[in-house]
Amino acid sequence: MQTFTMVLEEIWTSLFMWFFYALIPCLLTDEVAILPAPQNLSVLSTNMKHLLMWSPVIVPGETVYYSVEYQGEYESLYASHIWIPSSWCSLTEGPECDVTDDITATVPYNLRVRATLGSQTSAWSILKHPFNRNSTILTPPGMEITKDGFHLVIELDDLGPQFEFLVAYWRREPGAEEHVKMVRSGGIPVHLETMEPGAAYCVKAQAFVKAIGRYSAFSQTECVEVQGEAIPLVLALFAFVGFMLILVVVPLFVWKMGRLLQYSCCPVVVLPDTLKITNSPQKLISCRREEVDACATAVMSPEELLRAWIS
Amino acid sequence: MKLHCVSLWLLGTILMLCSVDNHGLRRCLISTDMHHIEESFQEIKRAIQAKDTFPNVTILSTLETLQIIKPLDVCCVTKNLLAFYVDRVFKDHQEPNPKILRKISSIANSFLYMQKTLRQCQEQRQCHCRQEATNVTRVIHDNYDQLEVRSAAIKSLGELDIFLAWIAKNHEVTSSA
């Protein structure tokens, strides 16, 4: 019996000592818990820019760094052990990471983050629902409509190489046809149409991302008007009428003046045939006054008459 | 006269079906960003092709010489070759360099997306595999099997530009670029 109690005592002492030794490290070291993993992971994606965000791990007086890794659907299906370090976020300070350059295919991506402080690292915290970039929020594109003289010019925001734009424009009048133009990239002024004076033109645009096959909503319609320039029109009318008048009047005037000059300078006098004197006048007047009767009564034969007349 | 009309009608129908089929297939991959995939590959091409230890052998040779893959076989061959890369080549290749790994991952995931897009189109249109298309695929697999796995994988990766160019040509996805 005594032996039994002695053995029990020894066991109890050993146990006590064991617990004591086990607790020493805890008592001696500072109260630093294992570094907690970042929480509340989410992705905010707008216009194909993807931002992974999380709640920061707060350690008073210390700067915590974060590392991000990703895994595409291919890796999760065929090589689930492979996680690829994010291009920009190996040991980043802020509680967010731009993963745009990592999400390069339109498939679901797994994302994970862990915190690092000195030699300590937290556990990995994984995004709850894999992120697919086709869920990005596409906003209507910002556009600037300008008039360059009579030219309708549009400049759209530069949203990157993945964006194309569909621009619709029309004359603001009933039954007007809507024209559509594809603009390959933003940031460059593009000529749409040469406007007619006095007409109003309206424009709206939407973005298209080929990689995900989605369109944004249309932007607000913007209209511009070109002043109808009335004065030059009247002038043009007058000029036209005047020109036509000149075209008619001047040749008439010239012709008239010509004729005047002709009559005043170089008149052409044309004698009638009966007054033409081809010979000496004495021969014709062969009868003197006293011989008038004789002349009157003398009957000449036609041949003599003709001869006399010709001579 | 009637026979003449009937045969013309048949010919017209066949031509129409062919063009519809091809046009539809082109629309299948039209939203894929081929330009990005080509860019990714260009960045790692030299490094990959430098590791190729059998420069005198090709695996995808049939594609270059086979401009003779007929339009009717394009869908099947595309489907099979995408599966070849996704199921075999990318899996068999272990890439230690993180920069190259990043690009290969980008291409692999893009191929996965293309497979999904192609499958959707298949549900609407037939993507029959005729004997000729199956033969082409088998030849490529046989070429692959003749080499040691790692060499075969690296070589196939190096020949990605051939495959990408073939896709672009047959699916006219870069027509709007």
Side-chain angles (χ1 to χ4, degrees), chain A residues 70-75 77-78 81-87 101-102 104-109 132-133 162 164 184 208-213, chain B residues 30-34 36 85-92 94 98 101-102 104-110 112-113 115-116 173-177:
Chain A
Y70 68 91
Q71 180 184 69
E73 193 188 10
Y74 172 80
E75 283 81 26
L77 290 173
Y78 294 89
H81 59 285
I82 291 182
W83 286 87
I84 302 168
S86 166
S87 318
D101 290 342
D102 300 320
T104 53
T106 312
V107 291
Y109 274 79
N132 191 329
R133 67 181 187 177
Q162 301 197 309
E164 291 176 345
R184 293 267 164 255
F208 173 63
V209 180
K210 196 168 160 190
I212 61 176
Chain B
I30 215 79
S31 68
T32 307
D33 192 6
M34 286 302 294
H36 178 83
Y85 271 96
V86 170
D87 297 334
R88 298 194 76 181
V89 177
F90 295 131
K91 244 176 72 174
D92 292 341
Q94 315 293 333
L101 178 63
R102 204 168 273 140
I104 293 176
S105 164
S106 173
I107 297 169
N109 282 294
S110 301
L112 211 62
Y113 173 67
Q115 279 186 310
K116 285 189 201 178
V173 289
T174 53
S175 60
S176 58

Side-chain angles (χ1 to χ4, degrees), chain A residues 250-264:
Chain A
V250 165
L252 217 70
F253 180 72
V254 165
W255 178 73
K256 204 72 187 171
M257 286 306 292
R259 285 198 53 150
L260 255 168
L261 278 168
Q262 195 182 43
Y263 289 136
S264 57

Side-chain angles (χ1 to χ4, degrees), chain A:
Chain A
M1 196 59 188
Q2 224 178 2
T3 331
F4 184 69
T5 45
M6 273 173 70
V7 166
L8 268 178
E9 259 189 52
E10 271 197 45
I11 291 170
W12 174 247
T13 319
S14 310
L15 272 172
F16 181 73
M17 295 301 282
W18 187 83
F19 274 122
F20 181 73
Y21 289 133
L23 279 173
I24 286 174
C26 289
L27 292 171
L28 285 178
T29 56
D30 288 332
E31 259 192 7
V32 175
I34 299 164
L35 197 61
Q39 299 296 311
N40 304 324
L41 270 66
S42 65
V43 177
L44 180 65
S45 179
T46 314
N47 288 333
M48 296 297 278
K49 291 261 178 281
H50 323 298
L51 200 66
L52 175 68
M53 300 183 302
W54 56 89
S55 303
V57 173
I58 309 288
V59 174
E62 301 282 357
T63 312
V64 179
Y65 293 93
Y66 305 92
S67 296
V68 176
E69 287 182 352
Y70 68 91
Q71 180 184 69
E73 193 188 10
Y74 172 80
E75 283 81 26
S76 61
L77 290 173
Y78 294 89
S80 52
H81 59 285
I82 291 182
W83 286 87
I84 302 168
S86 166
S87 318
W88 301 111
C89 309
S90 306
L91 297 178
T92 189
E93 252 186 72
E96 62 181 31
C97 177
D98 185 350
V99 291
T100 306
D101 290 342
D102 300 320
I103 314 287
T104 53
T106 312
V107 291
Y109 274 79
N110 285 317
L111 294 157
R112 67 181 190 181
V113 194
R114 71 173 174 189
T116 305
L117 180 63
S119 56
Q120 285 184 70
T121 50
S122 73
W124 285 106
S125 192
I126 301 182
L127 185 66
K128 206 166 165 193
H129 302 290
F131 169 71
N132 191 329
R133 67 181 187 177
N134 65 7
S135 64
T136 193
I137 297 165
L138 293 176
T139 62
M143 63 179 191
E144 197 186 319
I145 309 293
T146 46
K147 292 182 280 186
D148 183 4
F150 286 108
H151 299 294
L152 184 62
V153 174
I154 187 171
E155 188 174 330
L156 293 146
D157 286 349
D158 185 4
L159 294 174
Q162 301 197 309
F163 281 79
E164 291 176 345
F165 302 93
L166 201 122
V167 180
Y169 58 98
W170 61 96
R171 263 178 88 140
R172 195 172 59 189
E173 60 187 26
E177 194 191 329
E178 189 180 278
H179 304 277
V180 168
K181 189 176 182 124
M182 280 301 288
V183 176
R184 293 267 164 255
S185 62
I188 314 164
V190 173
H191 174 264
L192 288 178
E193 171 132 40
T194 307
M195 299 184 280
E196 284 172 25
Y201 288 78
C202 296
V203 188
K204 63 179 182 181
Q206 68 177 167
F208 173 63
V209 180
K210 196 168 160 190
I212 61 176
R214 273 181 55 205
Y215 290 88
S216 75
F218 269 106
S219 63
Q220 287 287 328
T221 304
E222 250 187 70
C223 296
V224 290
E225 199 168 325
V226 184
Q227 286 301 321
E229 303 203 20
I231 295 166
L233 205 63
V234 168
L235 268 175
L237 202 67
F238 274 125
F240 178 72
V241 168
F243 179 72
M244 291 309 287
L245 276 170
I246 289 167
L247 218 60
V248 167
V249 166
V250 165
L252 217 70
F253 180 72
V254 165
W255 178 73
K256 204 72 187 171
M257 286 306 292
R259 285 198 53 150
L260 255 168
L261 278 168
Q262 195 182 43
Y263 289 136
S264 57
C265 291
C266 324
V268 175
V269 180
V270 180
L271 279 175
D273 285 338
T274 48
L275 291 178
K276 275 193 185 139
I277 301 170
T278 50
N279 231 324
S280 149
Q282 275 92 5
K283 281 223 176 132
L284 269 176
I285 305 172
S286 54
C287 308
R288 279 198 295 262
R289 221 178 229 278
E290 55 273 24
E291 288 171 354
V292 166
D293 289 333
C295 285
T297 54
V299 177
M300 290 165 90
S301 68
E303 292 88 359
E304 284 169 323
L305 265 169
L306 188 66
R307 238 182 275 127
W309 185 77
I310 286 168
S311 60

Side-chain angles (χ1 to χ4, degrees), chain B residues 57-70:
Chain B
V57 179
T58 56
I59 292 177
L60 288 185
S61 61
T62 41
L63 275 181
E64 265 182 320
T65 51
L66 273 193
Q67 311 304 332
I68 62 179
I69 292 179
K70 300 192 184 72

